[in-house]
Structure formats: C-alpha cells, structure tokens
Amino acid sequence: MSENKFIGAPVSRIEGALKVMGKAPYAAEFPVKNISYGFPVQSTIAAGEITAIDTSEAEKQPGVIRIITHENALKLPAGPPVTNANRMTRANPVLQNNKVLFFGQYIGLVVAETYEQARYAARLVKVTYKAEKPRINFDAFAAEAYKPEVINAGYPTDTSWGNVADALKQADVVLNETYDTPIEHHHPMEPHTSIVLFEGDQLTIYEATQMLEQTRQGVANTFNIPKENIKVLSPYIGGGFGSKLQPREHLLLTVMAAKMLNRPVKTVITRQMMQTNVGLRQHNRQKIRMGADRSGKLLALAHETVTHTAMNEEFVEQTGVISRMMYAVPNSLVTHRVFHTHIQVPRWTRAPGETPGSFALESAIDEMAFALKMDPVAFRIKNEPEKNPENGKPWASRSLIQCLQTGAEKFGWNKRKMEPRSHQQGRWLIGYGMSSASRGAPYREASARIKVSNKNKAVTAVVEMAATDIGTGSYTIIAQAAAEKLGLPLENIKVQIGDSSLPPTPGSGGSWGAGSYASAVAVVCEQLKAELRSKVNAQFIKGPSVADLMIAGNIKEYESTGTAKPSAGMANYAHFSFAAHFAEVWVDESLGIVKIPRFLTTVAAGTILNEKTARSQIMGGVVWGIGQAMTEESLLDDRYGNFVTRTLADYHVPVNLDVGKIDVHFLAEEDRIINQLGAKGVGELGITSVAAAIANAVFNATGKRIRQLPITPDKLL
Amino acid sequence: MKPFKYSRATSVSTAARQVSANSQAKFLAGGTNIIDLMKEFVERPDELVDVTRLNLSNISTLAAGGISIGATAKNAATANHPLIRQHYPLLSQAILAGASAQIRNMATNGGNLNQRTRCAYFYDIAMPCNKRQPDSGCSALEGVNRMHAIVGWSNQCVAVHPSDMCVALAALDAVVKVQGPDGTARTIPITDYHRLPEDTPHLDNNLRSGELITSIEIPANNFAAHSYYLKVRDRSSYAFALVSVAAAMELNGGTIKQARIAMGGIAHKPWRLTAAESFLAGKTATADNFKLASEQALQEAKPLAHNAFKIELGRRSIVRALQMALGNII
Ligand SMILES: Cc1cc2nc3c(=O)[nH]c(=O)nc-3n(C[C@H](O)[C@H](O)[C@H](O)COP(=O)(O)OP(=O)(O)OC[C@H]3O[C@@H](n4cnc5c(N)ncnc54)[C@H](O)[C@@H]3O)c2cc1C
C-alpha cells in the first residue's frame, strides 16, 4: 500500500477550480431552448381527499401554460407494491387520484413561461378538501407498531440469541433506558432540480441525483419508456445525503409536463419542499436494556426500536443493527417495530440506522461504564468481539481497539475525571466524552471504460463511468486510481462521469461510492494494460508502463471496458469501518449553553483513497453529528401534520461558531478481502456515534444525562 | 410572488404620499424581510416604494446631546459606527447579535423596527393566523409554541417581535421619528412604538397609514461603561432569541444610580422590566441584588404549553446580563 504514488495522496479536488469559479454547471444551470418552468402545488392538509380544484384564476395569469392536476394528468399504470429491491426504481405514478396522505404532497404542477409566474399561479390554485384528522403524534400511535417483514437494505427485522431476560436477572448491574431522536432532514445546499427535454422519443434529463441508473429506471418504469431512450445527466451535485437517491416526484411531475406539453420543462423545488417532499430521517424511540457483571463483561443487550412510516409505504431504517455487531454480547435481542402516520415516507439519511442507533447504544454503554465505575474506553475494549457476534463471521478488518487507544492518547483522555462536575472553570463546567463508531462497509459491482491515446508520445487517458460526485471527491479519486494504475501523471487523466449512458456503477450512496468506483478503475486499468501487452511485440528491460506500450507499439488510441465485482469469498467475512470519537464540551449551566471546542476522531477504514477528501468527509460527518446532538430537529404540528421548522432559520444546522477544532486521524489498516484496493467507506462513518460522544461529555460535565436529542438550552436548565 | 410596481422615492413626503394613497403599497428598504415574505406569499403588495435612496442614512450627535440614527442606515454601519460603539455599545452588541453579517449589511434600521414576527404559522399561508389574516385563528396558541410569548399575549396572537436591536433601543429610551403623507412629523417613544396583540394582532406598531420612519434618537446617558446585551439561542449565532436581555447600569462607586433592563424573545414587543429597574435603583451592584431584581421580573408571565422554561431562563439571563454589564464574570 505504501508504495502508492497517487492513491491516498491528499490531492485537491480536480474540479475544485471550476466550482469556485462558478463554471461547474449544476442541474438547474443547463441552458435549454424554449424552456418552461414548473412549480408544484402542494396539499395544505395531511389526510383526506381533494373534492375540487379551481384553477380558473391561476390560469388567467400572464405566462401560465398549463396547470396539471389529478383531473387532467396523464394516466399512468399503477405501480407494483414497494419492496426494498424496487424502492428506487419502481413505477411511481404521480397525480393519479385525489387522495392526500401527507401535508405538502404534490397535488399539481403549474407550468409557465417564467419561474415567478409559475410560483405565483401555483398560489392562486384553490383546492377544496374533505379533510380527516391526520395521524401524526408519535405517542398517540406508537402502540399500534407492528413487526415489518424486513427493514431497510434487507436487514432482518428481529434477531436474538441467548436469553436476554434470564441474563438480565443474573447481571450485577442492569440498565433500562429509552432514547429519542427526532425527525431530521437532509437539507443539502442544492435544492432538488429537474430539467426534462424530449427530442422525438429520446428523453434527456438533467437532475441532481446520486443515482443515475436508478433515476433512469424509475422514469422508464413510471412512463413506460424504454430505458435506452433515456439519458440522465448529473455532472455536479450540491450534496445529497440520501435525499437524492431515487427519482423523486418533482422529476416525475416534470417528465409528465414535458410529455404533455411537448416542451422542455424545468422544476426547482423550494427549501420548504425539501422538508415535505424528499424524505426525512424518522423519529426513533429506542429502548435499551443492558446487563453486565462486576468485572465489566456485558451479559445482555436488548435494543428495541419503534418508529413511523408513511400511510402508503413502509420504510424502516436499520436503527438497531449496530447493536448486533459492536460488542461481544452473549445474550442479544434487537427488534424494529413501525406504525403508519400521515407523515411523508422516511428515506435513507446519512448513515441510516447507525446514526440514531449509535446514539442510543453508545450512550447506554457510557451509562453502564459509569455505573460499573469503569473507564468507558477500557469497558469497550473489554467487550471487543473476536468475530461478528451476529453470525460468527470473521472481520475482514476491524481496528476499533487501535482507534480507541490512539484516540485516547492523542486526545489526552487520561486527564478526564470519571466523576461528573469535577472540572470547573469560572462559569463553565468542562466534560470529556467518547464513543465507538461503526458503519457497514458495502462494496458493489461497478464498470468503467478507459480510453488511452498517444499523441506524439504524449499519453493521456479518459475514464468514463456512470458515477456521480455528490461533493465527496469521486472525480479526484477516480483520477488518482487511474494515474496510479496506468502510471501516468494525474493531469493526464480526464474523468467523465455524471452521464447514465456511460458504463454502469452503483452510484453514490451507502458509503460504497469511492471504493466501488476506484476498484473498477483499478481493475479496468490492469485489464487494459494486459490487453496492450499482448498486442505489443517488443522486449522490455523492466515491466513496461502503459505509455511504454503505446509508444513502442505505435498505438494511437486504445480503449477497454470492464467490470469489478465483489469476490466470491467476500460474503464469508464481516465488513465494517470503525472509528472512535472524543469530545470536549464546556457547559454554561445556568443558561444551558454548550460549546464543543475540541473533537477528535480516529478512523480505520482500510486504504484511504485521498486523505484530503476523506478528511473532509469525516469532518462533515462530525459537523452533522454536532447538529444531531445539539441543534437539529424537525417539529410537526399534530393537528395539521405540517412542519413548523420550515426554513433554515427554524431548522438549525450548526454554524461555524458551534464547531470547534475537529482533529481527524486515519490509522493504517490493511483489508485484503473487501476489494482490489482494500478501501472501505468513510462517508457515513463520520456521523455515526458523534452525538453519543457529545452527550456523554455533557454528562461528564454536568451530571445530566440527556436521552432526547437535540440538547437545546431548555433541556439543561 | 404577485406582480408589483417598483419605484424609487425621491423625497420623504412623496414616499409617504405614495404609500398612503395605495393600501396595497409598502416601503422597501433592505428587503431582507419583506422580499422573503413576498416570496412566501405572506405579504402581497402590488407596489413597492424604495426608500433607500432617500438621504436618511446619517448617524450624528444631536445638539441637545444624544444621537440621531438615520432610518436607512444599514444595521452593520450602525453597529460599527464609532459614535455608537463609544456611547451606546449596548446597541452595537444587540445589532451584532442578530441575523448574519450578510443580512446586517443589507438590513436598515427602519426595516429592523418594522420586521415582522418569525412565528412559523404566520409564515405558512396554509395555517390559520390572525396576524396574517384577521379572524382566521391563532395556530400557535395551542400549537408548537416553544419560541412564543410568555407575557403580553392574547388569545388572538402569541407571536414575539424578533428584533434584537429594538430591545437595546427600549433599554436606552430611544424615540422613533416618523413623517406622514401630509408632511407632519411625530416622535414616538420606542416603548410605545410596537403594540401588544390584544384584538388587533395584524397591527405590529402604531404607525399611521403612509408614515415613514426617518430616524431614531437616543438621549445621552451614562450607561456606556456598564451595559451588556445577552442573547440565549439554540445555536451560537444566526438564530432568533429564546430570550434576550439588554441591561445597563449607571454606577456611583458600588451603588446603582439607575438601571435599565429590557427583554426580547418573550413578547410581541420589546419588554421593559420597570419593576426590576426600580428595585435596583440605589442598591449596591451585587450578585444577590441582581438575583432579587430578577425575581421582580416576569411575575406577570403566563407560559404556553412549550415555553415555560423561558421564565427561569429569562430570570437567569437577567442576572447574567447584569453581571456581564458590571464586568465581574469570566
Ligand atoms: C435568516 C434571517 C435571520 C435573521 N435573524 C435576526 C435576528 O437574529 N435578530 C434580528 O433582530 N433580526 C434578524 N433578522 C431580521 C433582520 O434584522 C430584518 O430582516 C431587517 O432588519 C429588516 O430590514 P430591511 O431594511 O431589510 O427591511 P425590509 O425588508 O426592506 O422592510 C421590512 C419592513 O419594514 C418596512 N420599512 C422599511 N423601512 C421603513 C421605513 N423607513 N419606514 C417605515 N417602514 C419601513 C417595510 O415596508 C417592511 O414592511 C433576520 C433575518 C433573516 C432573513
């Protein structure tokens, strides 16, 4: 690994200059001739039926081209029932009936000559409803929670081994607590955007999407268009965090409008629609029961989650899965239950499952360590599992202990006093907290096409793949992998992604993007080199480079397309990335104000493909974790089902002043199983368990244990 | 947004006449509030009269002592003006505690006085709101009301005035100078400028039709050495106050000659704490007396379902602001 020249190097983003100069076009920024503008009409009730829609006044307004509602919408075939497998790609017919299932549901699209005209007219559409009392309040309906057949990503709903009830009776110390994490929203900077353009039977879509292929398939299935006729372009994306993983309804509305009007249509949704129409992280109520013996051995762990989903679709994030693998637990029970509400369907939100789940687990572990009077780092190390406790599979790589030890040392953990309130400075109570973090490390099949050319002995390469860069650094990592494996300078590599007509990839999601893209590039580079070697009939003193071969064989152009796949043996191992977080907090107790001047994270995620972009990913995750811990919460009005935190002035993401120094350390780790390059994901690891480290530090500072996020001033008074 | 006519006012009196002649017309200053509200379809003027080119941005000392601050002076320029920094640091601090640097660079003092509540139900046109649409009901009264009023509210409206600047102005006994369409000028004490909701929550203040704010005047005082603006909020900056306190004292040795305390985030207008002020007059400036003073405050508070914490937080904030004003806390 260490002899890598490009892979791992902290290379700045190769597209960075374009972005800061405003020259990188995002989905809304493609000039299209004769464009018209769509603006959605939204329901103002959460449950019931539309009894009448009066568009007469809206239609009279200057510039209005058409108002599409369920009354005049294109008739579409009903979609299949939603499953984990088809969730992103199934036919998802919009505007087919008068039912309202959540507040803010799109019930129409106004198309006009300008954006402002469309927006104005949308507000003049008068809708009459037969409203029902919506099911919103968590406490009111939680008792109805049922056992779903399966949860997100195909994880089993329930797992158990041993006997938790008996083990809890045997335990010297028992903990039984409930943790609540609120609804959160993704809020990427760039709003969701579609431009849709039909040319004959060919359809071009400019869309802010993490997943080109799924977007294409979803549109194809919904409108019965051969997917070969659809091209999805998404060269630059201003963040997604899971909210841009599937073709959302604004895109389907825009396709419908473009088809009906025979004219290109562009729809950019508002920040308010980003609360109501592109998914959310659901409120999770997690009950943890834990038992340990005096020596600090965990005897039992039960992690039972209740959450909500929409009326028309079941989506359950894998909140408890982290409790299945983190510690050596001889008696385990992990369950998920869900109930239906008139709240929009939840969606993958950065590290779905592990983010809320790790808050509960890692808070509870801290509580248990305190009850045992044990150092929480030592307590964790004592319960390190040799194999994945869930299935006995060996770890492909697991360096959690190294993360904990290195982190503790670099942070100065030994200065922490176990007793809360023992460190005071003026009006500030100072506390230290920590947590272990983990996130599944998926790796997926991906393809690439590599074209090399030789112009007067200057050899350059173009890498083409239907990959996306959601601000994570894909462009750069792909270029680094190609430069490394082709033996060419980085600036001789051109990366072409963000186009669904290029060789397929799994897109950017689930932290598999970077590893899958880079492995595909590595595999295809090697394939290309081998092919060239067999073509060139020359002797070389040492192993020839791609450039040597091109020049020696006088080959002007050569291309190779290939695919990297998970190895057959991969499934025999457990694949996870690990980290440890350490937080220092200062609490001004009389006003409930918390500062986090210092946060330190140690990460072991196999080969780090680019130390700079990886660091940014982890830092971004930590910042979001600070948001989860301290500020982020989407509030609903139970009577109406509307969000009252509708803007970024109400939904608080952390500001610069909330974020102190974030120190990220990557530990060397070799993983020979996961993929060609030994790279595990880092995108979601960074947020996992951050909130627990902070809440644990707040406890250490004040003696107050906050089990309901976020930790706003009122909760500390 | 609704199509509207835009014009640039060339004189105070024509601006006032233009707006008074059209009930659908509004003044436009920095636009940081009204344009937002127009995009949300909360405000639907059909005419905007831009007042930023009027010559109303001066900040200067008054002959009789005190200072005059122009209505169209930017919030940022006001907060950073040497005269304000030196003589009215409380005002500087309060302005700088509000919004963001970008917004303060656009926002004007007149616009700040007249900015509308941030109540989420006021902003969401799908929701009943008496302030936006009289007689439609108050959604916040029994809704999500953590950010709302604990004093001075009515069943018609529980919204709070969001300004930080105005809280400092209330503590400093500022007056608002306005001019009407017929050219008549009036002076309104800041504490009488904003209204309580009572049965007319759609009225935020006591301006008459077409009246334009021309300046704000603050009398000379001896508070500069001992004043502090404390804002407690859900994140470190760029958030509206849960509660805020503008505290100022004039000291004679260790004795408080006079004190001024106003609060934000708790009412439909900046809230002067006169009982606590008179308690402090003549007392020594000690933590104990600050605590006793804070107990005089907010006796009239009637919390809503989600904001009872504001009473205790408010009292603690009063104590802290006074301590900070005294300068004896780390
Ligand atoms: C995201 C965000 C966060 C914010 N946070 C804070 C905060 O924390 N604290 C805080 O105090 N403020 C905050 N603000 C509000 C900000 O201070 C106001 O928007 C600003 O002061 C309004 O000034 P303006 O000049 O832009 O007013 P405009 O938007 O131009 O006008 C506002 C109103 O005042 C009227 N008006 C303007 N000038 C005059 C005049 N001379 N005479 C009569 N009427 C007039 C207009 O007709 C309009 O009704 C925030 C704003 C935003 C957008």
Side-chain angles (χ1 to χ4, degrees):
Chain A
M1 287 186 296
S2 50
E3 67 267 21
N4 281 340
K5 194 164 157 214
F6 295 109
I7 290 178
V11 175
S12 294
R13 285 160 206 264
I14 58 176
E15 84 290 10
L18 285 182
K19 283 183 174 168
V20 296
M21 291 189 296
K23 288 185 180 167
Y26 287 77
E29 300 175 326
F30 288 88
V32 171
K33 269 210 196 91
N34 197 28
I35 194 83
S36 60
Y37 294 82
F39 194 93
V41 181
Q42 296 179 274
S43 73
T44 56
I45 61 165
E49 287 180 358
I50 299 166
T51 52
I53 300 193
D54 175 3
T55 56
S56 54
E57 201 193 337
E59 264 159 15
K60 273 190 244 142
Q61 300 308 314
V64 172
I65 301 165
R66 182 79 64 88
I67 299 176
I68 305 170
T69 69
H70 73 274
E71 291 176 350
N72 61 353
L74 213 62
K75 292 287 162 264
L76 298 172
V82 189
T83 64
N84 272 324
N86 74 8
R87 204 181 295 276
M88 294 184 191
T89 55
R90 83 202 141 96
N92 178 14
V94 286
L95 298 186
Q96 297 300 298
N97 60 45
N98 66 344
K99 302 268 182 301
V100 175
L101 299 176
F102 61 93
F103 191 99
Q105 179 183 321
Y106 298 143
I107 54 171
L109 187 78
V110 175
V111 185
E113 298 293 342
T114 72
Y115 174 77
E116 287 75 13
Q117 288 170 335
R119 180 172 61 182
Y120 178 51
R123 270 139 188 188
L124 300 178
V125 173
K126 288 191 198 78
V127 185
T128 321
Y129 301 96
K130 198 171 110 218
E132 291 161 25
K133 201 169 174 312
R135 299 161 53 92
I136 304 293
N137 184 282
F138 194 98
D139 298 314
F141 300 101
E144 291 180 16
Y146 64 91
K147 180 179 170 185
E149 221 161 87
V150 57
I151 57 173
N152 180 46
Y155 286 100
T157 304
D158 291 0
T159 52
S160 72
W161 58 85
N163 184 325
V164 166
D166 286 353
L168 287 172
K169 278 187 220 131
Q170 316 276 303
D172 296 322
V173 182
V174 172
L175 171 138
N176 184 349
E177 294 294 351
T178 301
Y179 303 82
D180 275 281
T181 51
I183 293 178
E184 287 185 279
H185 279 87
H186 311 79
H187 280 313
M189 193 70 99
E190 179 201 23
H192 298 62
T193 295
S194 313
I195 297 177
V196 173
L197 168 67
F198 280 95
E199 285 156 310
D201 61 357
Q202 298 296 307
L203 173 55
T204 304
I205 296 172
Y206 298 92
E207 175 75 17
T209 178
Q210 302 174 236
M211 312 297 256
L212 300 161
E213 184 57 24
Q214 280 79 351
T215 300
R216 183 160 83 134
Q217 282 183 21
V219 171
N221 290 338
T222 304
F223 293 95
N224 222 345
I225 300 171
K227 88 172 190 183
E228 297 67 38
N229 292 4
I230 304 175
K231 184 162 163 164
V232 179
L233 297 167
S234 197
Y236 300 102
I237 299 132
F241 309 121
S243 73
K244 293 174 180 166
L245 282 172
Q246 70 174 109
R248 294 298 320 204
E249 290 72 12
H250 66 273
L251 168 60
L252 303 173
L253 288 173
T254 311
V255 174
M256 181 186 280
K259 215 168 141 91
M260 287 173 71
L261 300 176
N262 201 14
R263 198 175 155 178
V265 181
K266 161 151 113 179
T267 305
V268 181
I269 72 167
T270 62
R271 184 58 64 183
Q272 285 68 29
M273 292 170 194
M274 291 170 81
Q275 295 260 328
T276 46
N277 302 79
V278 291
L280 48 77
R281 191 199 296 288
Q282 59 261 64
H283 175 170
N284 285 279
R285 178 160 295 163
Q286 305 172 63
K287 192 172 149 194
I288 300 254
R289 288 175 293 149
M290 193 183 275
D293 69 17
R294 275 272 158 249
S295 80
K297 268 272 166 227
L298 279 172
L299 300 179
L301 171 60
H303 189 159
E304 295 159 289
T305 301
V306 177
T307 190
H308 54 93
T309 188
M311 297 307 287
N312 59 334
E313 185 179 335
E314 184 187 276
F315 177 92
V316 185
E317 77 179 306
Q318 61 270 33
T319 304
V321 296
I322 194 162
S323 285
R324 293 175 179 160
M325 51 63 64
M326 199 59 138
Y327 300 109
V329 179
N331 299 283
S332 163
L333 173 71
V334 176
T335 66
H336 298 84
R337 299 291 178 267
V338 66
F339 58 97
H340 291 281
T341 61
H342 289 103
I343 302 171
Q344 67 154 321
V345 65
R347 274 295 180 257
W348 314 273
T349 309
R350 202 171 191 178
E354 281 92 340
T355 298
S358 65
F359 169 66
L361 174 65
E362 291 296 303
S363 294
I365 287 282
D366 195 70
E367 297 195 47
M368 181 55 91
F370 184 73
L372 289 163
K373 297 281 167 254
M374 256 183 102
D375 178 86
V377 174
F379 180 50
R380 284 170 169 89
I381 291 175
K382 180 149 188 141
N383 290 287
E384 171 77 1
E386 246 174 70
K387 293 179 170 175
N388 186 353
E390 184 182 358
N391 49 26
K393 288 185 186 176
W395 308 105
S397 54
R398 172 167 169 141
S399 311
L400 177 60
I401 292 182
Q402 291 85 326
C403 288
L404 289 165
Q405 289 171 337
T406 311
E409 190 196 312
K410 290 189 184 298
F411 185 78
W413 181 253
N414 58 3
K415 293 197 198 77
R416 170 189 183 262
K417 298 200 180 67
M418 188 177 304
E419 206 44 47
R421 310 183 68 84
S422 44
H423 191 175
Q424 188 155 11
Q425 199 166 308
R427 66 188 140 113
W428 298 98
L429 286 165
I430 300 169
Y432 286 4
M434 53 78 54
S435 62
S436 303
S438 175
R439 163 75 192 165
Y443 164 64
R444 300 221 169 162
E445 174 174 328
S447 303
R449 176 163 56 233
I450 299 182
K451 298 174 174 167
V452 273
S453 55
N454 165 12
K455 251 193 213 135
N456 304 324
K457 303 196 175 173
V459 177
T460 57
V462 180
V463 185
E464 295 180 336
M465 46 202 316
T468 52
D469 188 330
I470 54 176
T472 42
S474 310
Y475 277 103
T476 315
I477 285 164
I478 290 169
Q480 285 172 274
E484 187 78 51
K485 297 293 173 184
L486 296 174
L488 293 174
L490 195 61
E491 49 294 357
N492 288 17
I493 312 287
K494 199 171 157 204
V495 178
Q496 210 109 52
I497 58 174
D499 178 341
S500 66
S501 60
L502 301 173
T505 79
S508 298
S511 296
W512 61 63
S516 303
Y517 301 156
S519 295
V521 172
V523 165
V524 180
C525 285
E526 268 153 28
Q527 169 185 319
L528 175 138
K529 204 166 145 183
E531 289 167 7
L532 277 178
R533 186 69 190 90
S534 67
K535 280 189 177 318
V536 177
N537 223 344
Q539 297 290 324
F540 295 95
I541 301 161
K542 60 174 180 114
S545 70
V546 167
D548 295 338
L549 291 165
M550 297 283 286
I551 294 164
N554 197 20
I555 300 171
K556 295 289 168 220
E557 307 263 327
Y558 189 77
E559 76 171 63
S560 188
T561 305
T563 301
K565 293 185 176 139
S567 69
M570 185 181 164
N572 300 330
Y573 291 84
H575 301 278
F576 295 87
S577 297
F578 292 90
H581 298 301
F582 294 82
E584 175 177 329
V585 304
W586 289 45
V587 183
D588 181 339
E589 205 183 19
S590 79
L591 303 181
I593 294 169
V594 179
K595 303 270 178 218
I596 307 168
R598 203 157 69 90
F599 199 96
L600 184 141
T601 296
T602 42
V603 177
T607 305
I608 298 303
L609 295 166
N610 177 327
E611 224 207 271
K612 194 169 185 179
T613 56
R615 182 178 307 276
S616 297
Q617 285 295 297
I618 297 291
M619 283 171 59
V622 170
V623 172
W624 208 353
I626 291 173
Q628 185 199 6
M630 305 307 304
T631 58
E632 291 184 47
E633 177 173 30
S634 294
L635 292 168
L636 284 157
D637 187 314
D638 296 336
R639 301 164 302 171
Y640 304 106
N642 61 314
F643 282 106
V644 293
T645 42
R646 294 172 65 245
T647 74
L648 290 179
D650 306 287
Y651 183 85
H652 293 140
V653 297
V655 294
N656 269 328
L657 258 184
D658 293 315
V659 180
K661 183 169 189 282
I662 300 175
D663 211 355
V664 181
H665 299 274
F666 293 103
L667 305 191
E669 185 185 61
E670 191 169 359
D671 188 323
R672 290 174 179 271
I673 315 286
I674 179 102
N675 51 34
Q676 272 276 318
L677 299 174
K680 302 192 278 185
V682 296
E684 294 169 305
L685 180 64
I687 182 176
T688 306
S689 300
V690 170
I694 293 168
N696 295 341
V698 167
F699 174 77
N700 183 243
T702 64
K704 288 199 182 90
R705 180 63 69 178
I706 307 294
R707 300 188 187 88
Q708 272 186 315
L709 296 180
I711 309 175
T712 46
D714 41 325
K715 293 189 184 149
L716 287 173
L717 291 184
Chain B
M1 56 179 82
K2 183 169 158 181
F4 60 91
K5 204 168 92 194
Y6 168 90
S7 63
R8 252 175 216 168
T10 48
S11 76
V12 170
S13 42
T14 54
R17 273 202 297 278
Q18 238 174 304
V19 168
S20 92
N22 175 4
S23 65
Q24 303 294 305
K26 287 262 182 182
F27 297 120
L28 171 70
T32 61
N33 189 221
I34 192 162
I35 301 287
D36 236 13
L37 289 165
M38 287 165 69
K39 289 188 199 161
E40 296 260 22
F41 219 42
V42 174
E43 300 266 20
R44 304 173 193 184
D46 66 8
E47 181 178 2
L48 286 181
V49 179
D50 185 343
V51 299
T52 53
R53 296 334 196 254
L54 297 175
N55 195 9
L56 296 174
S57 60
N58 256 357
I59 297 176
S60 54
T61 42
L62 292 164
I67 198 160
S68 166
I69 304 165
T72 62
K74 303 289 187 188
N75 282 177
T78 308
N80 296 324
H81 197 282
L83 285 173
I84 306 286
R85 286 189 157 199
Q86 191 184 345
H87 300 293
Y88 307 97
L90 182 64
L91 180 60
S92 279
Q93 287 177 12
I95 293 174
L96 296 175
S100 66
Q102 292 89 336
I103 292 170
R104 295 192 299 266
N105 283 339
M106 285 301 290
T108 65
N109 297 327
N112 195 312
L113 282 167
N114 284 5
Q115 65 174 298
R116 310 215 62 191
T117 183
R118 308 302 291 205
C119 173
Y121 298 99
F122 171 71
Y123 256 84
D124 186 346
I125 56 167
M127 293 290 119
C129 169
N130 288 324
K131 184 180 275 301
R132 181 166 25 79
Q133 199 183 344
D135 298 325
S136 59
C138 173
S139 301
L141 184 62
E142 285 170 357
V144 181
N145 49 33
R146 177 171 174 268
M147 300 299 293
H148 290 71
I150 54 170
V151 290
W153 53 268
S154 72
N155 283 337
Q156 296 282 310
C157 180
V158 296
V160 299
H161 193 260
S163 170
D164 292 295
M165 182 185 95
C166 293
V167 181
L169 291 177
L172 296 170
D173 290 315
V175 297
V176 183
K177 301 203 70 170
V178 305
Q179 188 174 319
D182 58 359
T184 334
R186 318 196 267 152
T187 297
I188 313 169
I190 179 81
T191 41
D192 298 334
Y193 181 83
H194 297 101
R195 300 166 60 98
L196 288 182
E198 296 174 338
D199 289 334
T200 52
H202 61 292
L203 300 175
D204 293 349
N205 56 51
N206 288 315
L207 280 185
R208 295 175 195 142
S209 160
E211 268 182 339
L212 180 78
I213 304 164
T214 51
S215 67
I216 300 161
E217 293 183 359
I218 311 178
N221 63 45
N222 294 317
F223 295 132
H226 298 289
S227 66
Y228 193 78
Y229 188 74
L230 174 72
K231 182 175 182 184
V232 183
R233 42 191 150 171
D234 283 328
R235 62 181 169 192
S236 305
S237 80
Y238 206 19
F240 290 94
L242 294 169
V243 304
S244 70
V245 178
M249 289 178 287
E250 182 180 350
L251 296 180
N252 188 354
T255 306
I256 303 166
K257 259 177 92 174
Q258 51 172 337
R260 295 283 183 276
I261 312 172
M263 285 187 75
I266 61 165
H268 200 257
K269 60 187 284 188
W271 202 253
R272 267 289 282 271
L273 305 181
T274 41
E277 289 175 6
S278 32
F279 172 86
L280 285 174
K283 301 268 187 340
T284 46
T286 62
D288 285 347
N289 279 331
F290 296 162
K291 177 111 201 312
L292 289 170
S294 77
E295 284 158 12
Q296 303 285 312
L298 303 180
Q299 303 243 359
E300 69 279 41
K302 279 195 286 169
L304 302 162
H306 305 133
N307 67 7
F309 72 93
K310 285 190 178 184
I311 300 177
E312 180 60 23
L313 181 60
R315 293 206 171 112
R316 293 183 188 188
S317 300
I318 294 166
V319 175
R320 175 65 62 77
L322 288 163
Q323 283 173 317
M324 298 298 281
L326 195 59
N328 71 348
I329 183 157
I330 49 157

